[in-house]
């Protein structure tokens, strides 16, 4: 074995702690900070500037640095371990957010405040990806240890993410409305520091890539991905779907506040309702995977997401917009359980971080594109853009799951499934 070196003491087995303490609690703290920043910062920009264009640009600015950080993040996690990378990234994010909390009150002009908030979005986006890749790698290792019950670990992790998405947007909206920007930012910092204090423990591989340029990690991850056709096709479908989801997320503050006449807190309520629906979908998807396998659960989730995406673009009232968005995100939640389970099964552990980074990079590329689409589209025409993207979403998901219908990796049901469950072809 010439491509890897044997690591030192950092790869010792973790202490005998429960999954709750080793994996789930650190993930909870990190997910809360992530959700509050992702959904809170565009609200702050809209409240500061009253501009749909700047809100769309802020959304794009949140995602572009994150995408640039993925390749390096995966390589750093593979080499230096999840605990160290997670802790450093969490502390850095807390320091940046606290600095912004003290700087923003001194900004008397709208331009200065907007520039500060957009810089905050870019910097926190970078460090958040390091902590996210570290947390995902730790969760994947726990899934591998769980064997055929990997999807159960992944459903808990996704449940944590969706719970944070449920609480984070609503909390950010209400904090912004009730105690202002400073209190919102200090709450984000507290979540980051809590994550740094807990930090994930897991069994790490003793095989670690030697030092190499950041692009080397990207090449390694890409080669691994294209060698796994089942995973590649699933990611292709979800990438197309994410364009519609990204446009919906970027346009929601403008649609809800300016078109439907609601408050910024109402935007948070939409994403909280969507997260609640996703939590229910995660539980149902886990049940379906146990009995039917990955493909039926994923195909059903894709059908729900595709139909809801087409319907939400036609919503004319706040209630309809909220309900249909929740249904759409429920479908997305079910597909994410399938993706994470397949990812943990197929990607080799020594290159998991690099390959994970590439998969996330590909899937998140539509988000800055979505922000630019919203920024360049007149506010009155956003409905037409949503409709076009929803059509692409339905077509992309249909093509991907049709191609995957005979993939053994997605057709094998859980070994404890009841008699009569379909078997792998």
């Amino acid at each position: 074995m010439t491509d890897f070196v044997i690591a030192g003491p950092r790869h010792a087995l973790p202490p005998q702690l429960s999954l709750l303490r080793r994996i789930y609690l650190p993930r909870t703290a990190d997910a809360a900070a992530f959700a509050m920043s992702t959904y809170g910062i565009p609200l702050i920009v809209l409240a500061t500037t009253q501009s749909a264009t700047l809100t769309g640009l802020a959304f794009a600015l949140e995602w572009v640095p994150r995408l640039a950080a993925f390749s390096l993040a995966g390589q750093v996690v593979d080499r230096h371990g999840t605990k160290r990378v997670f802790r450093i990234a969490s502390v850095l994010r807390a320091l940046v957010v606290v600095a912004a909390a003290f700087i923003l009150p001194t900004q008397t002009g709208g331009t200065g405040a907007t520039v500060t908030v957009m810089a905050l979005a870019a910097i926190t986006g970078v460090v958040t990806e390091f902590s996210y890749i570290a947390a995902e790698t730790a969760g994947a290792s726990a899934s591998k240890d769980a064997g055929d019950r990997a999807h159960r670990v992944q459903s808990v992790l996704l449940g944590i993410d969706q719970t944070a998405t449920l609480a984070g947007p609503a909390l950010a909206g209400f904090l912004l409305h009730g105690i202002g920007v400073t209190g919102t930012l200090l709450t984000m910092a507290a979540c980051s520091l809590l994550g740094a204090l807990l930090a994930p423990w897991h069994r790490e591989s003793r095989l670690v890539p030697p030092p190499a340029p950041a692009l080397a990690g990207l090449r390694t991850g890409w080669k691994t991905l294209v060698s796994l056709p089942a995973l590649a096709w699933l990611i292709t479908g979800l990438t197309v779907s994410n364009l519609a989801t990204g446009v919906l997320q970027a346009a929601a503050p403008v649609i809800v506040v300016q078109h439907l006449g609601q408050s910024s807190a109402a935007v948070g309520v939409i994403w909280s309702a969507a997260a609640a629906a996703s939590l229910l979908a995660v539980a149902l998807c886990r049940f379906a995977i146990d009995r039917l396998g990955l493909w039926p659960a994923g195909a059903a989730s894709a059908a729900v997401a595709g139909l809801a995406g087409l319907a939400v673009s036609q919503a004319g009232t706040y209630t309809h917009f909220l309900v249909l968005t929740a249904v759409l995100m429920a479908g997305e939640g079910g597909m994410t359980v399938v993706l994470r389970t397949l990812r943990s099964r197929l990607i080799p552990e020594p290159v998991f971080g690099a390959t994970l980074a590439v998969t996330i990079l590909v899937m998140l590329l539509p988000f800055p594109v979505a922000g630019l689409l919203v920024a360049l589209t007149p506010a009155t025409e956003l409905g037409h853009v949503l409709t076009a993207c929803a059509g692409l979403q339905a077509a992309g998901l249909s093509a991907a799951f049709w191609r995957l219908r005979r993939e053994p990796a997605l057709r094998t049901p859980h070994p404890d499934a009841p008699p009569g469950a379909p078997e792998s072809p």
Side-chain angles (χ1 to χ4, degrees):
M1 176 79 63
T2 58
D3 295 333
F4 299 93
V5 296
I6 301 299
R10 77 174 180 87
H11 294 286
L13 287 175
Q16 295 301 312
L17 301 175
S18 67
L19 274 176
L20 175 65
R21 171 60 186 85
R22 291 190 291 113
I23 305 295
Y24 298 149
L25 287 180
R27 180 62 164 264
T28 300
D30 187 67
F34 178 91
M36 289 186 66
S37 62
T38 298
Y39 295 96
I41 289 175
L43 287 175
I44 294 173
V45 174
L46 183 62
T48 301
T49 66
Q50 303 299 318
S51 169
T53 297
L54 289 177
T55 302
L57 287 175
F59 187 85
L61 189 60
E62 278 190 288
W63 287 103
V64 170
R66 293 179 181 182
L67 298 179
F70 271 119
S71 174
L72 179 60
Q75 189 179 27
V76 168
V77 169
D78 282 341
R79 176 141 193 92
H80 296 287
T82 57
K83 184 180 178 68
R84 182 185 302 176
V85 174
F86 184 93
R87 180 163 285 167
I88 292 173
S90 296
V91 170
L92 286 176
R93 180 174 54 200
L95 291 175
V96 170
V97 170
V98 169
F102 285 98
I103 291 172
L104 279 174
T106 68
Q107 303 288 336
T108 56
T111 301
T114 300
V115 170
T116 301
V117 172
M118 288 186 169
L120 172 68
I123 297 171
T124 55
V126 171
V127 295
T128 293
E129 294 318 315
F130 280 84
S131 66
Y132 177 76
I133 292 292
E136 276 286 277
T137 303
S141 178
S143 295
K144 287 180 182 295
D145 291 341
D148 291 326
R149 299 178 185 272
H151 65 283
R152 299 188 179 184
V153 175
Q154 289 298 325
S155 68
V156 173
L157 293 174
L158 184 57
I160 290 171
D161 289 347
Q162 294 300 331
T163 300
T165 304
L166 188 156
L171 182 59
F174 284 114
L175 286 175
L176 183 61
H177 180 75
I179 60 178
V181 173
T182 300
T184 304
L185 293 175
L186 290 178
T187 304
M188 294 180 195
C191 292
S192 294
L193 290 176
L194 179 60
L197 179 65
L198 295 171
W201 285 88
H202 78 103
R203 173 191 56 76
E204 298 189 66
S205 172
R206 291 180 55 82
L207 298 176
V208 184
L215 288 179
L218 190 61
R219 286 194 296 269
T220 298
W222 180 256
K223 288 179 181 178
T224 305
L225 176 60
V226 297
S227 70
L228 303 170
L231 184 61
W233 271 99
L234 181 58
I235 288 173
T236 299
L238 291 177
T239 299
V240 175
S241 177
N242 279 349
L243 179 62
T245 303
V247 169
L248 180 63
Q249 290 182 4
V254 179
I255 293 173
V256 173
V257 175
Q258 295 187 353
H259 293 186
L260 301 179
Q262 302 295 318
S263 67
S264 60
V267 182
V269 170
I270 285 178
W271 297 119
S272 295
S278 293
L279 281 172
L280 177 60
V282 168
L284 293 175
C285 191
R286 171 178 168 174
F287 179 85
I289 292 171
D290 274 342
R291 285 152 180 78
L292 302 175
L294 289 172
W295 189 88
S301 298
V304 170
L307 292 173
L310 290 169
V312 74
S313 64
Q314 307 300 318
T317 67
Y318 175 75
T319 300
H320 290 163
F321 191 83
L322 184 152
V323 171
L324 291 171
T325 299
V327 174
L328 168 60
M329 298 310 292
E332 293 278 351
M335 288 189 291
T336 304
V337 175
V338 174
L339 170 64
R340 290 184 172 184
T341 304
L342 188 66
R343 205 164 53 189
S344 66
R345 286 183 183 180
L346 297 182
I347 300 176
E349 187 172 352
V351 293
F352 188 89
T355 310
L356 172 65
V358 170
T359 64
I360 298 175
L361 173 63
V362 171
M363 289 178 59
L364 295 187
L365 282 173
F367 283 94
V369 175
L372 293 176
L373 279 175
V374 172
L376 296 174
T377 302
T380 56
E381 301 297 320
L382 285 176
H384 298 301
V385 175
L386 279 174
T387 301
C389 292
L392 288 175
Q393 177 187 41
L397 290 175
S398 298
F401 278 93
W402 178 259
R403 172 62 179 77
L404 291 170
R405 70 192 187 282
R406 297 189 183 279
E407 285 287 344
L410 278 89
R411 299 293 300 191
T412 304
H414 189 279
D416 292 337
E423 297 180 356
S424 175

